[in-house]
Amino acid sequence: MRVIGTAGHVDHGKSTLVEALSGINPDRLAEEQSRQMTIDLGFAWLDLPKGETIGIVDVPGHRDFIENMLAGVGGIDAALLVIAADEGIMPQTREHLAILHLLDIQNIIVVLSKIDLIDDPEWIELVKLEVEDLLAEWQLGALPLVAVSAQTGAGLDQLVEALRLALAELPLRVNFRQPRLPIDRVFVVSGFGAVVTGTLSSGTLSVGDNIELQPAGIAGRVRGLQSYQRDLETALPGSRVAVNIAGLSSADIQRGDVLTHPGQMSPTRLADAHFTQLGDIARPLAHNAEVKIFSGAAESIANVRLLDADTLPPGGCGWLQLRLRDSLPMSRGDRFILRYPSPAETIGGGLIVNAHPGRRLKRFQPQIISELELRLRGSPGERLALAAKGDAPQKLSELQRKLGFNDDELSSALDEAQSGGLIIEFDSKLYWAAQSWGQLYHNIVSLLSRYHQANPLRLGMRRPEIRSRLNIKPSLFDALIAGEDRLALEFDFVRLREHTIRFTDDQKRKVARVMQALEADPYSPPGIAELNQIAGEDAVRALSDLRRIVNVNDNIAFAVESYERLVAEIRRHISDSGEIDAKTLRDKFGSSRKYAIALLEHLDSLGVTQRVGDARRRGRNF
């Protein structure tokens, strides 16, 4: 299903033409009918000869209602640019054509209306030449031009055929299970409640679907669907749809809101965009200028942050970041229009390349501009890898939501990204940009290199400390250690594989004296303070890192062999007798209560034992 829009001057007979084509008067408001002027969006539909139904959005032509016009043209597939034969091209005609160009609506049919008012064929030819000059200004080439009369019916059959040919060449609307309905009208039907209308730009909506209203995030359910006054079970992308919503009142909804499935879209107040400025505007666009942005059926006030210039001259292009006053539901690939609030003037328009940048971009940064260029013009695989950048891997469905790819496009992009080494797949079917992996790996290597240099007698950094410093999720951290040969995990320490603890000859002699002292009285060894006096605190801590000694608290350490004998006996005794206490342990090893209690409390902390009264029994990690 397709939707077309009408554009042109208020007196050019757009609504009359729509009624002649469809039999439906799109001017539904009493004021519109009395003034014979389209003030708000009007809607109709037309059945083509081969049975396809196309929707028609009749937009206001008067300059005072240009912003209502912008709410209606975002979802159209083609446009009728209506020019009255008796008046020719008007300023609003030029503005409407500029807006169609900025929104990348390329299927335009020029309709020369009211030919019944002209008796002079040469006048018609002059108007046609004027139209050709206008199209040449926009480098649009030879667009179809049909001369019609809504009063006599002349040319209407040719116009319908031109519509059929124009729409037949268009690709199908994207459908990747993410319905998106920008709302352009809200009303109440007695006995049914809130009804909204819009053009379903992607995905499908079905009766019974749970839906979410953005940007408010309010939940509801599809009670009923209609398209062109026909009841539907499922609405297809590209069609004009009326949705009866359960769970929401009309007061909850306004023009510009978007209906979608829960969790599939989120609003934004910051967006990165490529912008093209019109060549005939009165003043250049300045950094931080206040503008109105129109996207879909929504609008907001915004400030423009120019990223690669201080001002943008008429006719110029550039990168900008839009800081919105109100949250808008936008996605990558959305077209937008900018206007000055006062005096009202259309400035230009462009394309959203990142609807959720998450941060304020620095200006005049070549790397940032290069990445934005890649988001705009990169191959599907390159754009997928960009979307997969971030702090953690993402589900493929989330990447698809960000990019707006259909299933075939997503599959092709994934193949390209994987074969080119741009993306990494994890066992849990999560995907991460190879660049993000490489950056995190570089950060870990840099951190460890600095740590090893500052602490040559430490085996490495403990895993929790590295994860905390670099904010890494445990599963991702484990994958990095397993996937990079230069990283080694030893006794819960992470180190660079080339790093080892190297004692000087003097330190080796002192370390040997420490081990002799511990072995001389293995179950009542010297305290850590005494060991530090023998070899120095750094050397003693190195023995702990290397698991040659085991610290059971801040004051007591055992040689690892003695520690293992003690723990083995504790396990055996509990297995035989069900429990052990400090007195029993002390007597078994000829130690003292101080050492026995310190060891048992240490094992309690590890879950090997569990204290019950004065005794220890099996712990969760026995």
Side-chain angles (χ1 to χ4, degrees), residues 33 63 93 95 232 245 393-394 429 446 469 523 549 562 582 595:
Q33 295 176 14
R63 173 161 283 180
T93 311
E95 187 167 15
L232 301 174
I245 305 174
Q394 302 170 59
K429 291 298 178 184
S446 296
R469 285 222 204 166
Y523 308 121
I549 66 175
S562 305
Y595 291 100

Side-chain angles (χ1 to χ4, degrees), residues 161-366:
E161 176 62 12
L163 270 173
R164 185 190 68 79
L165 291 173
L167 296 176
E169 297 173 356
L170 291 175
L172 295 175
R173 292 267 187 156
V174 172
N175 179 10
F176 56 96
R177 301 180 300 279
Q178 184 190 344
R180 183 178 179 189
L181 184 78
I183 295 168
D184 50 37
R185 189 179 170 211
V186 186
F187 55 96
V188 175
V189 175
S190 179
F192 291 90
V195 176
V196 301
T197 67
T199 301
L200 189 58
S201 58
S202 65
T204 60
L205 272 180
S206 299
V207 174
D209 279 359
N210 292 320
I211 54 93
E212 190 172 67
L213 181 73
Q214 290 291 355
I218 307 173
R221 181 174 55 82
V222 177
R223 177 184 286 155
L225 291 169
Q226 276 194 352
S227 185
Y228 314 120
Q229 292 189 343
R230 291 189 287 267
D231 290 338
L232 301 174
E233 282 298 314
T234 297
L236 300 177
S239 57
R240 290 289 306 170
V241 182
V243 186
N244 180 207
I245 305 174
L248 293 175
S249 73
S250 60
D252 296 323
I253 312 167
Q254 61 183 353
R255 175 181 284 177
D257 289 347
V258 174
L259 281 189
T260 185
H261 281 167
Q264 289 192 330
M265 193 174 190
S266 56
T268 183
R269 294 185 65 181
L270 200 64
D272 303 335
H274 188 261
F275 177 74
T276 299
Q277 190 156 229
L278 295 176
D280 58 353
I281 64 168
R283 48 185 162 143
L285 180 64
H287 176 65
N288 269 338
E290 185 176 274
V291 298
K292 274 188 174 182
I293 176 173
F294 299 82
S295 180
E299 67 175 271
S300 176
I301 296 293
N303 287 98
V304 172
R305 300 187 64 248
L306 297 180
L307 298 177
D308 53 358
D310 288 318
T311 59
L312 197 63
C317 298
W319 289 103
L320 51 84
Q321 190 169 56
L322 295 161
R323 191 169 69 249
L324 309 177
R325 180 178 299 175
D326 307 302
S327 293
L328 291 187
M330 292 197 297
S331 298
R332 187 207 173 277
D334 286 356
R335 292 274 169 178
F336 66 91
I337 298 292
L338 296 187
R339 282 171 58 83
Y340 285 126
S342 179
E345 180 185 14
T346 300
I347 311 168
L351 187 75
I352 301 295
V353 299
N354 189 1
H356 299 90
R359 63 189 177 95
R360 190 169 175 266
L361 297 181
K362 292 182 178 179
R363 303 176 65 210
F364 303 107
Q365 299 293 312

Side-chain angles (χ1 to χ4, degrees), residues 72-94:
V73 295
I76 65 175
D77 298 294
L80 303 181
L81 184 65
V82 183
I83 300 171
D86 60 334
E87 292 186 336
I89 294 170
M90 304 293 285
Q92 287 90 328
T93 311
R94 295 179 176 276

Side-chain angles (χ1 to χ4, degrees), residues 359-396:
R359 63 189 177 95
R360 190 169 175 266
L361 297 181
K362 292 182 178 179
R363 303 176 65 210
F364 303 107
Q365 299 293 312
Q367 183 178 350
I368 289 176
I369 301 302
S370 295
E371 184 172 305
L372 290 171
E373 289 282 355
L374 198 58
R375 288 184 184 276
L376 178 65
R377 299 185 175 89
S379 69
E382 290 171 332
R383 284 157 47 199
L384 180 65
L386 273 175
K389 288 180 65 176
D391 296 332
Q394 302 170 59
K395 293 181 180 178
L396 200 57

